[in-house]
Amino acid sequence: MTATDTPGPIRVMLVDDHEVVRRGIVTAIESSPALRVIGEASSVAEARRRLPAIRPDVLVVDLQLPDGTGIDVMDAARDLNPEQTMLVLTSFDDDAALRESRAAGAAGLMLKSARSQEIVESICAVHEGRTVWPADRGDEGPELSASDQRIVELIGDGHSNREIAENLGIAEKTVKNRVTVILQALGMQRRTQVAAMVAARRRAGWK
């Protein structure tokens, strides 16, 4: 290719473990001539195996994966390419997801419920060096998803990560990752602080 040739489409890699969702997103991406999906993965392990050969322009990754999280994928991508452009696509519309994604170096976050054109525009935007974060929620304090709130309550009951995982029917590693996010959201360093907060709320009559 010479310097005067027209540049090719933006090369996108998609990481999502839900086949139906992934197919829908691929269809949305490839509806634009400006984008091309060059690789897919359904797990952290598969993404790590494929990233070195694929080297996408934009990595689009789900936060929740069966063997870890999208953060693990983004960390691996940044190890290969510190300048890797990344966009989070998730079902979790909460401050914890935003904070976690920003900390991992993502350039934006989109909900899976977004329209096809919004997904296309977001990928193009981050490739151009812009960011695409949802509007600020103001100073309402940290917001946790319902599942994270349940984890907080179980921590308050003195349960270990393994016990919480068994209680909720999820992987212990997932619980560990969510606890990290919860601590960041609450501005705390240790789970004992979370337990103390829950105890104080209960003494005060909070539900």
Side-chain angles (χ1 to χ4, degrees), residues 84-118:
Q84 177 67 63
T85 299
M86 302 177 293
L87 175 67
V88 169
L89 191 65
T90 182
S91 301
F92 296 91
D93 182 17
D94 57 39
D95 287 343
L98 292 175
R99 190 173 291 107
E100 187 177 26
S101 301
R102 280 194 174 106
L109 179 147
M110 285 291 296
L111 293 177
K112 291 183 180 181
S113 58
R115 292 180 293 108
S116 296
Q117 187 59 31
E118 291 178 301

Side-chain angles (χ1 to χ4, degrees), residues 22-200:
R22 196 167 68 248
R23 294 266 57 82
I25 297 171
V26 167
T27 299
I29 292 173
E30 295 195 331
S31 67
S32 168
L35 307 177
R36 180 163 63 94
V37 176
I38 60 166
E40 300 176 42
S42 60
S43 67
V44 174
E46 185 180 7
R48 283 173 171 162
R49 286 196 304 270
R50 304 204 65 194
L51 270 168
I54 293 175
R55 300 295 181 111
D57 296 320
V58 179
L59 175 65
V60 180
V61 59
D62 187 11
L63 282 183
Q64 301 299 319
L65 296 167
D67 57 343
T69 73
I71 303 304
D72 300 322
V73 176
M74 289 191 281
D75 287 344
R78 279 295 177 88
D79 287 341
L80 290 169
N81 174 16
E83 303 302 318
Q84 177 67 63
T85 299
M86 302 177 293
L87 175 67
V88 169
L89 191 65
T90 182
S91 301
F92 296 91
D93 182 17
D94 57 39
D95 287 343
L98 292 175
R99 190 173 291 107
E100 187 177 26
S101 301
R102 280 194 174 106
L109 179 147
M110 285 291 296
L111 293 177
K112 291 183 180 181
S113 58
R115 292 180 293 108
S116 296
Q117 187 59 31
E118 291 178 301
I119 294 174
V120 168
E121 291 173 354
S122 294
I123 293 173
C124 292
V126 298
H127 183 255
E128 293 168 1
R130 291 178 282 151
T131 58
V132 286
W133 299 106
D136 292 336
R137 292 181 172 84
D139 299 322
E140 299 173 359
E143 293 184 7
L144 300 176
S145 65
S147 59
D148 285 346
Q149 291 282 9
R150 179 59 180 151
I151 291 174
V152 167
E153 291 301 316
L154 291 170
I155 290 174
D157 291 335
H159 292 294
S160 66
N161 285 353
R162 177 174 295 180
E163 291 169 335
I164 294 173
E166 292 173 352
N167 186 291
L168 299 180
I170 58 179
E172 184 176 352
K173 185 173 183 180
T174 298
V175 174
K176 181 179 178 181
N177 290 331
R178 297 314 302 172
V179 169
T180 298
V181 172
I182 289 167
L183 291 174
Q184 292 174 344
L186 297 175
M188 297 178 177
Q189 300 296 320
R190 298 177 300 279
R191 61 191 294 139
T192 52
Q193 293 174 289
V194 178
M197 177 194 72
V198 173

